[in-house]
Amino acid sequence: MVLDVHRPIRKVAICAPATPLKRKYAEAVSQLAADEFPDIELTFHEQCFVEEGHFAGRDEVRLAALLECANDPAFDAVWFAKGGYGSNRIAADFIGRAQKAAGEKTYVGYSDLGFVLGALYRAGIGKPVHAPMPVDMKREGGDAAIRRTLAWMCGDDGGLEPRLSEKPVAAFNLYTLAMMAGTQFMPNLEGHELLIEEVGEYEYAIDRLLFHLAENLPALAGIRLGEVTAVPENDRPFGANPEEIVRYWCERYGIEYLGRAAIGHTAANRIVPFGLEG
């Protein structure tokens, strides 16, 4: 799929389809943008700061904010504030109620927001892009991650994943992608280079997730492995590190292993526009 991402992006709506963002991070991102990227206008939806249990508001509150941002023709892009868990709960209703203006936008995020990015990609709505989110401001060196996304919005490709090829590409958190497989949100990734990353999962769980994906994915052009961080220590060694696990399942299912990728839950997370950017 060829996706024509229109840049520079000038007006950006920010909402939180999963978990809430602390206001101090929004203020820091807004200040950085005002100081260094004055041509970009960021609008944080107040819903970003709503806290109700785990979520940034009830499902209907998060859905309403996402639809408001996506369907407003005044905005060029929707930037997701934060991951966590919860965007899958509203993804179907969002796709079903997306209007013409939603199809002309760029959607930027990663982690749990892979549910929305994948659903958009499957439906052919807008331009999904894996990239750092405002919450990354909290990381050590997080200001560099925010600059990377804002600079890309301005037309600078210096923050792209450096090993992108001429093949269509998609990037996902491994757990999110595995949960999406077999659902109405799963895009057709045949012929794609698939970039995956993970955070906070045991090595045996990574192995189990890759088994499930290998059983459900179509013929890929190959898999690249991004960062795998915060791996807990199990009560017994698994006997293989994450890269060895990926290589094992690629070999077993005849998928080409393409090496590493610079994506993940770190401040070094790079930008990956889905498909082939036109």
Side-chain angles (χ1 to χ4, degrees), residues 32 136-148 266-269:
L32 187 154
D136 287 303
M137 181 60 89
K138 75 177 184 179
R139 302 185 189 279
E140 182 178 354
D143 54 340
I146 300 303
R147 287 189 184 94
R148 191 175 306 120
T266 73
N269 188 22

Short mmCIF file of all heavy atoms in Angstrom, two decimals, residues 32 136-148 266-269:
data_model
loop_
_atom_site.label_atom_id
_atom_site.label_comp_id
_atom_site.label_asym_id
_atom_site.label_seq_id
_atom_site.Cartn_x
_atom_site.Cartn_y
_atom_site.Cartn_z
N LEU A 32 8.46 22.88 24.31
CA LEU A 32 9.51 22.53 23.35
C LEU A 32 9.07 22.87 21.93
O LEU A 32 9.85 23.44 21.14
CB LEU A 32 9.85 21.04 23.47
CG LEU A 32 11.04 20.52 22.66
CD1 LEU A 32 11.63 19.28 23.34
CD2 LEU A 32 10.67 20.18 21.23
N ASP A 136 6.76 10.20 25.91
CA ASP A 136 8.20 9.93 25.89
C ASP A 136 9.02 11.05 26.48
O ASP A 136 10.21 10.87 26.76
CB ASP A 136 8.65 9.61 24.46
CG ASP A 136 8.18 8.24 24.00
OD1 ASP A 136 8.50 7.26 24.67
OD2 ASP A 136 7.49 8.17 22.97
N MET A 137 8.41 12.21 26.70
CA MET A 137 9.12 13.30 27.35
C MET A 137 9.61 12.90 28.74
O MET A 137 10.60 13.44 29.24
CB MET A 137 8.21 14.53 27.43
CG MET A 137 8.87 15.74 28.06
SD MET A 137 10.35 16.30 27.17
CE MET A 137 9.59 17.44 25.99
N LYS A 138 8.97 11.92 29.37
CA LYS A 138 9.35 11.52 30.72
C LYS A 138 10.62 10.67 30.75
O LYS A 138 11.22 10.48 31.81
CB LYS A 138 8.21 10.75 31.39
CG LYS A 138 8.02 9.33 30.89
CD LYS A 138 6.92 8.62 31.65
CE LYS A 138 6.79 7.16 31.23
NZ LYS A 138 5.73 6.46 31.99
N ARG A 139 11.04 10.14 29.61
CA ARG A 139 12.22 9.29 29.57
C ARG A 139 13.49 10.12 29.67
O ARG A 139 13.52 11.31 29.33
CB ARG A 139 12.27 8.49 28.26
CG ARG A 139 11.08 7.60 28.00
CD ARG A 139 11.30 6.77 26.76
NE ARG A 139 10.09 6.05 26.38
CZ ARG A 139 9.70 4.91 26.93
NH1 ARG A 139 10.43 4.34 27.88
NH2 ARG A 139 8.57 4.32 26.52
N GLU A 140 14.57 9.49 30.10
CA GLU A 140 15.87 10.15 30.02
C GLU A 140 16.19 10.37 28.55
O GLU A 140 16.16 9.44 27.75
CB GLU A 140 16.94 9.28 30.68
CG GLU A 140 18.31 9.92 30.69
CD GLU A 140 19.36 9.07 31.39
OE1 GLU A 140 19.00 8.02 31.97
OE2 GLU A 140 20.54 9.47 31.36
N GLY A 141 16.47 11.61 28.18
CA GLY A 141 16.70 11.92 26.78
C GLY A 141 15.43 12.00 25.97
O GLY A 141 15.47 12.02 24.74
N GLY A 142 14.28 12.06 26.65
CA GLY A 142 13.00 12.06 25.94
C GLY A 142 12.76 13.26 25.07
O GLY A 142 12.00 13.19 24.10
N ASP A 143 13.41 14.39 25.39
CA ASP A 143 13.23 15.56 24.55
C ASP A 143 13.72 15.30 23.13
O ASP A 143 13.16 15.83 22.16
CB ASP A 143 13.93 16.78 25.14
CG ASP A 143 15.40 16.53 25.45
OD1 ASP A 143 15.82 15.37 25.57
OD2 ASP A 143 16.14 17.53 25.59
N ALA A 144 14.74 14.44 22.98
CA ALA A 144 15.23 14.09 21.64
C ALA A 144 14.18 13.29 20.88
O ALA A 144 14.03 13.45 19.66
CB ALA A 144 16.53 13.30 21.75
N ALA A 145 13.45 12.43 21.57
CA ALA A 145 12.39 11.66 20.93
C ALA A 145 11.28 12.58 20.43
O ALA A 145 10.77 12.42 19.32
CB ALA A 145 11.82 10.62 21.89
N ILE A 146 10.91 13.57 21.26
CA ILE A 146 9.87 14.52 20.86
C ILE A 146 10.34 15.34 19.67
O ILE A 146 9.59 15.55 18.70
CB ILE A 146 9.50 15.44 22.04
CG1 ILE A 146 8.98 14.60 23.22
CG2 ILE A 146 8.47 16.47 21.60
CD1 ILE A 146 7.80 13.74 22.92
N ARG A 147 11.58 15.79 19.71
CA ARG A 147 12.12 16.55 18.57
C ARG A 147 12.09 15.72 17.29
O ARG A 147 11.84 16.24 16.21
CB ARG A 147 13.56 16.99 18.85
CG ARG A 147 13.69 18.11 19.86
CD ARG A 147 15.13 18.62 19.92
NE ARG A 147 15.24 19.62 20.96
CZ ARG A 147 15.62 19.36 22.21
NH1 ARG A 147 15.93 18.10 22.56
NH2 ARG A 147 15.70 20.32 23.11
N ARG A 148 12.36 14.43 17.42
CA ARG A 148 12.39 13.55 16.24
C ARG A 148 11.03 13.53 15.55
O ARG A 148 10.94 13.66 14.32
CB ARG A 148 12.80 12.14 16.68
CG ARG A 148 13.14 11.19 15.54
CD ARG A 148 13.65 9.85 16.09
NE ARG A 148 14.76 10.06 17.00
CZ ARG A 148 14.76 9.68 18.28
NH1 ARG A 148 13.71 9.06 18.80
NH2 ARG A 148 15.81 9.90 19.03
N THR A 266 12.12 3.23 24.07
CA THR A 266 13.28 4.00 24.51
C THR A 266 13.23 5.37 23.85
O THR A 266 12.49 5.58 22.88
CB THR A 266 14.61 3.31 24.14
OG1 THR A 266 14.84 3.45 22.73
CG2 THR A 266 14.60 1.83 24.50
N ALA A 267 14.08 6.27 24.32
CA ALA A 267 14.15 7.60 23.72
C ALA A 267 14.73 7.56 22.32
O ALA A 267 14.60 8.53 21.57
CB ALA A 267 14.97 8.53 24.61
N ALA A 268 15.36 6.45 21.94
CA ALA A 268 15.95 6.32 20.60
C ALA A 268 14.96 5.82 19.56
O ALA A 268 15.32 5.65 18.39
CB ALA A 268 17.16 5.38 20.66
N ASN A 269 13.73 5.58 19.95
CA ASN A 269 12.68 5.06 19.06
C ASN A 269 12.60 5.86 17.76
O ASN A 269 12.42 7.08 17.78
CB ASN A 269 11.35 5.12 19.80
CG ASN A 269 10.22 4.42 19.08
OD1 ASN A 269 10.44 3.56 18.24
ND2 ASN A 269 9.00 4.80 19.41
#
